[in-house]
Amino acid sequence: MREAAKESKREKIMEAAIQVFSKKGYHQTRMEEIAVAAGIGKGTIYEYFDSKLQLVQHIMETSLLMYYEAMGDEERSRLSFEDRIRIMIMGHFRFCQQNKALTRILFWDTEIIDEELKDWSYQIRREKEEKMRSIVEEAMQKGEIRQADPYLVTQIFLGVMGSMLVPVILEDQEFDVAQVAQEITDLLMYGLK
Amino acid sequence: MREAAKESKREKIMEAAIQVFSKKGYHQTRMEEIAVAAGIGKGTIYEYFDSKLQLVQHIMETSLLMYYEAMGDEERSRLSFEDRIRIMIMGHFRFCQQNKALTRILFWDTEIIDEELKDWSYQIRREKEEKMRSIVEEAMQKGEIRQADPYLVTQIFLGVMGSMLVPVILEDQEFDVAQVAQEITDLLMYGLK
Amino acid sequence: MREAAKESKREKIMEAAIQVFSKKGYHQTRMEEIAVAAGIGKGTIYEYFDSKLQLVQHIMETSLLMYYEAMGDEERSRLSFEDRIRIMIMGHFRFCQQNKALTRILFWDTEIIDEELKDWSYQIRREKEEKMRSIVEEAMQKGEIRQADPYLVTQIFLGVMGSMLVPVILEDQEFDVAQVAQEITDLLMYGLK
Amino acid sequence: MREAAKESKREKIMEAAIQVFSKKGYHQTRMEEIAVAAGIGKGTIYEYFDSKLQLVQHIMETSLLMYYEAMGDEERSRLSFEDRIRIMIMGHFRFCQQNKALTRILFWDTEIIDEELKDWSYQIRREKEEKMRSIVEEAMQKGEIRQADPYLVTQIFLGVMGSMLVPVILEDQEFDVAQVAQEITDLLMYGLK
DNA sequence: TATGAATGAGCATTCATTCAT
DNA sequence: GATGAATGAATGCTCATTCAT
């Protein structure tokens, strides 16, 4: 089989797996369901992935890379803090809206699948947190935002980003990503009063 | 056996189950582990609960009642919006800090256990959301806070409350509940600028 | 406890067990059901019987004695063959009609409970067969009935006796024992022609 | 796998199950024993049958069809009553002799497995009875046999057919089916005198 | 390479029996 | 004696994984 075709079947399996995992959760999903969804035989999955665990790991790792790319804050240090977080929030929402099934797997049904995967997932979370915190701290130093506990502010940002998953995931709402990002940034920057 | 002793054993099983479910997740937990953790025989669990599913359901229902009690917003409509949400946030944090394992089960590892339980869980979430939204809308009408999309504001509040689970759950940090609630309320009310 | 009272509780358990075993079969019956039916505690059964198996064994042995007594062919060798088998068939029917639950356990739901019990049950059956055959052979020698394979005739007699269990057990019919015994004897003696 | 091979494995499982059920009874039989007897893995049984209950149900239904075929009384209404029942008795014996394990399951160890199966089994019994009765009544009308209670006569026929199971099942005797059927018919028609 | 029939480790649950009260 | 709460051996069934075709 040509490399391309091989790759395409691997992708097909991953896409099928994402749909089924997202709908039923890892433990409730049987390998056969994935095979059926992918339109292939059960055994074939094992030609491309070592195990169910490795399949979900691979999905999570790959999608996390995609997510970071969508969120990417590279080359934006010259922007104002307000713009940076607006863009970041927007990137987050855009990714979530475009990859609902994936979002559910990555950020919502944080089911404990495996000790190692749990640790990896925590590690990722911490890294994201660190990065966000350094942005916050930088903005405080520059005087762009007022002094406050940077850890707290970081958690709030992450929490707010998480908050908007609900309408996307549970209620399947579509919304204007740019506008919502703008409104949220406003609220965070200028408060409710 | 006296009623009290019977009740206490039921509680013992629930506490053991909470610990194990919280540590390993529902599907990774074997009934025997719960029995061992409770210091009883495997069969004894079935004297008090019909099945593994019913056990986790009962834990979730009971703890949700506790949570709502801790959060209780009754008789507070005469307070200012700022005070109300501060108290609410504080109640949330206090509950989470005092019931870490439970918090993980209720709000963190939202693993798909059962279709019915999933629906119930969504229902609960929606009710909480409704209530919060009505508080937000009331405050807007009274002019306590500025006009904004009430749905968005509600999601932000819920997100912020969710955000602080991370340090509690994942990093096992202790913090001063009242002070953190105050700081968060400040940030939400007056913004970062 | 007085001997009499002790005996009466033992009987009570046996009667309860007979009812439940008869209705649900040995394997489908739980010790608790018997206890409930007897109006006593589950543990109490074990004060009177060593085990579920021993309980059913005891029931079967006791009732078989009763059955043989009802069937008893002692002191009847001076009667004609026709009278003997009529009386025997009548005894069989009378016992079955008066002890329906027991009949079901003894002769109908011949479920394999235990290897030993199975062997015992076969042994009993063979003894009954032997006795019947000797009666048949005697009647042939005396010229009371015509020459035929005595084994075959014996099986027919036993079969006919078994046949009438159906209306008793399955259809709960009541019938005039003496009359039916007479009719059957006639049919066997003089044939259908 | 070819259809034929698949069917043959299904048969292999059924045959193994018949042997084990027949030897140990339904409740005493573990699925693993059947698997071992069939020379396959435990899980394989579930590829062909949904459950232990469904397996035994399928065996009973299939074998009953076989039995009725062996007994078949079609196109025999022009024969004399005597011939009809002789042929019927012969068919019954032939089936039992050729399918001993099956016979034990169908007609001997009438253990209560399941409420539904019990009802089904009674239903079958009643149908057989009805058919036999109509044959008896017809013969009485035609004057082939003397007047008697047709229900009683029917039960006797069925009882006699059941009676000969004993030597087959319990004593593993072989006998000349045609000859025994002839003798039994003689006895029933002309009596013992 | 692709398949799906075969497998058996693993687990929830039942229930006869025990034994502290 | 009487009890019923506690127990754990026993077993039906599932499903990830293997491997012959």
Side-chain angles (χ1 to χ4, degrees), chain B residues 87-150:
Chain B
I87 291 170
M88 203 176 277
I89 288 171
M90 204 166 67
H92 172 83
F93 285 165
R94 183 169 293 131
F95 176 88
C96 296
Q97 190 139 291
Q98 282 168 3
N99 305 279
K100 289 182 185 178
L102 224 43
T103 300
R104 188 188 286 268
I105 293 171
L106 273 180
F107 303 121
W108 195 253
D109 294 321
T110 55
E111 153 177 29
I112 299 168
I113 289 169
D114 170 81
E115 206 60 31
E116 198 195 333
L117 201 52
K118 188 174 142 188
D119 291 343
W120 173 81
S121 177
Y122 285 2
Q123 179 62 26
I124 294 298
R125 163 110 208 172
R126 259 190 298 275
E127 280 170 22
K128 193 171 160 188
E129 207 177 283
E130 289 299 323
K131 192 170 184 185
M132 185 64 104
R133 180 154 62 185
S134 76
I135 295 174
V136 167
E137 280 170 348
E138 198 188 311
M140 281 186 191
Q141 273 182 337
K142 285 189 186 164
E144 286 185 286
I145 57 176
R146 68 179 168 90
Q147 294 299 316
D149 181 347

Side-chain angles (χ1 to χ4, degrees), chain C residues 2 20 27 30 33-34 77 79 96 99 111 118 128 130 134 136 150-151 156 165 179 185 191:
Chain C
R2 285 166 303 106
V20 188
H27 285 105
R30 297 203 311 288
E33 294 178 85
I34 296 173
S77 46
L79 295 180
C96 296
N99 304 278
E111 155 175 29
K118 188 173 142 187
K128 192 171 160 189
E130 289 299 324
S134 76
V136 168
Y151 182 80
I156 286 175
L165 296 178
Q179 192 199 323
T185 312

Side-chain angles (χ1 to χ4, degrees), chain C residues 152, chain D residues 82-83 86 89-90 176-187:
Chain C
L152 220 57
Chain D
E82 196 172 335
D83 282 346
R86 191 172 39 78
I89 288 171
M90 204 167 65
D176 180 332
V177 164
Q179 193 200 322
V180 167
Q182 180 65 60
E183 285 183 52
I184 287 178
T185 312
D186 269 9
L187 282 164

Side-chain angles (χ1 to χ4, degrees), chain A residues 78-104:
Chain A
R78 58 197 164 61
L79 294 180
S80 72
F81 175 75
E82 198 172 332
D83 283 346
R84 277 177 89 170
I85 60 159
R86 192 172 38 77
I87 292 170
M88 204 176 275
I89 287 171
M90 206 165 68
H92 171 83
F93 285 165
R94 182 168 295 130
F95 176 87
C96 295
Q97 191 138 291
Q98 283 167 3
N99 304 279
K100 287 181 186 179
L102 224 42
T103 300
R104 190 188 281 270

Side-chain angles (χ1 to χ4, degrees), chain C residues 1 9 41 43-44 47-48:
Chain C
M1 188 182 268
K9 183 161 281 188
T44 310
E47 297 285 326
Y48 296 88

Side-chain angles (χ1 to χ4, degrees), chain B residues 3-184:
Chain B
E3 270 313 294
K6 208 168 167 182
E7 202 44 50
S8 101
K9 179 156 287 185
R10 201 178 154 92
E11 303 259 307
K12 200 162 73 177
I13 292 169
M14 279 177 69
E15 263 154 50
I18 288 166
Q19 294 309 318
V20 188
F21 281 146
S22 154
K23 188 166 183 295
K24 316 194 61 168
Y26 178 79
H27 284 106
Q28 305 274 56
T29 297
R30 277 170 297 116
M31 289 305 264
E32 180 132 48
E33 293 178 86
I34 295 173
V36 168
I40 57 170
K42 194 160 32 118
T44 308
I45 299 175
Y46 290 89
E47 296 280 325
Y48 296 88
F49 298 94
D50 288 342
S51 66
K52 188 181 175 185
L53 181 58
Q54 201 245 27
L55 172 58
V56 81
Q57 270 176 337
H58 192 260
I59 286 171
M60 291 182 81
E61 279 161 23
T62 309
S63 14
L64 210 66
L65 283 183
M66 280 174 62
Y67 174 71
Y68 279 138
E69 223 166 296
M71 283 276 291
D73 188 55
E74 317 309 322
E75 314 298 330
R76 286 216 282 275
S77 47
R78 59 194 164 63
L79 295 180
S80 71
F81 176 76
E82 197 171 333
D83 282 347
R84 277 178 90 170
I85 60 157
R86 191 173 39 76
I87 291 170
M88 203 176 277
I89 288 171
M90 204 166 67
H92 172 83
F93 285 165
R94 183 169 293 131
F95 176 88
C96 296
Q97 190 139 291
Q98 282 168 3
N99 305 279
K100 289 182 185 178
L102 224 43
T103 300
R104 188 188 286 268
I105 293 171
L106 273 180
F107 303 121
W108 195 253
D109 294 321
T110 55
E111 153 177 29
I112 299 168
I113 289 169
D114 170 81
E115 206 60 31
E116 198 195 333
L117 201 52
K118 188 174 142 188
D119 291 343
W120 173 81
S121 177
Y122 285 2
Q123 179 62 26
I124 294 298
R125 163 110 208 172
R126 259 190 298 275
E127 280 170 22
K128 193 171 160 188
E129 207 177 283
E130 289 299 323
K131 192 170 184 185
M132 185 64 104
R133 180 154 62 185
S134 76
I135 295 174
V136 167
E137 280 170 348
E138 198 188 311
M140 281 186 191
Q141 273 182 337
K142 285 189 186 164
E144 286 185 286
I145 57 176
R146 68 179 168 90
Q147 294 299 316
D149 181 347
Y151 183 81
L152 221 58
V153 175
T154 303
Q155 294 304 340
I156 286 174
F157 272 104
L158 294 176
V160 167
M161 269 156 58
S163 75
M164 293 310 288
L165 296 178
V166 182
V168 175
I169 298 299
L170 302 187
E171 287 158 28
D172 206 37
Q173 279 181 22
E174 298 284 329
F175 52 83
D176 180 331
V177 165
Q179 193 199 321
V180 167
Q182 180 65 61
E183 284 185 53
I184 287 177

Side-chain angles (χ1 to χ4, degrees), chain D residues 11-47:
Chain D
E11 302 259 307
K12 200 163 73 178
I13 293 170
M14 279 177 68
E15 263 154 50
I18 288 167
Q19 295 309 319
V20 188
F21 281 146
S22 155
K23 188 166 183 296
K24 315 195 59 167
Y26 179 79
H27 285 105
Q28 305 274 55
T29 297
R30 277 171 299 114
M31 289 304 264
E32 181 132 48
E33 293 179 85
I34 296 173
V36 168
I40 57 169
K42 191 163 33 121
T44 308
I45 299 175
Y46 290 89
E47 297 279 325

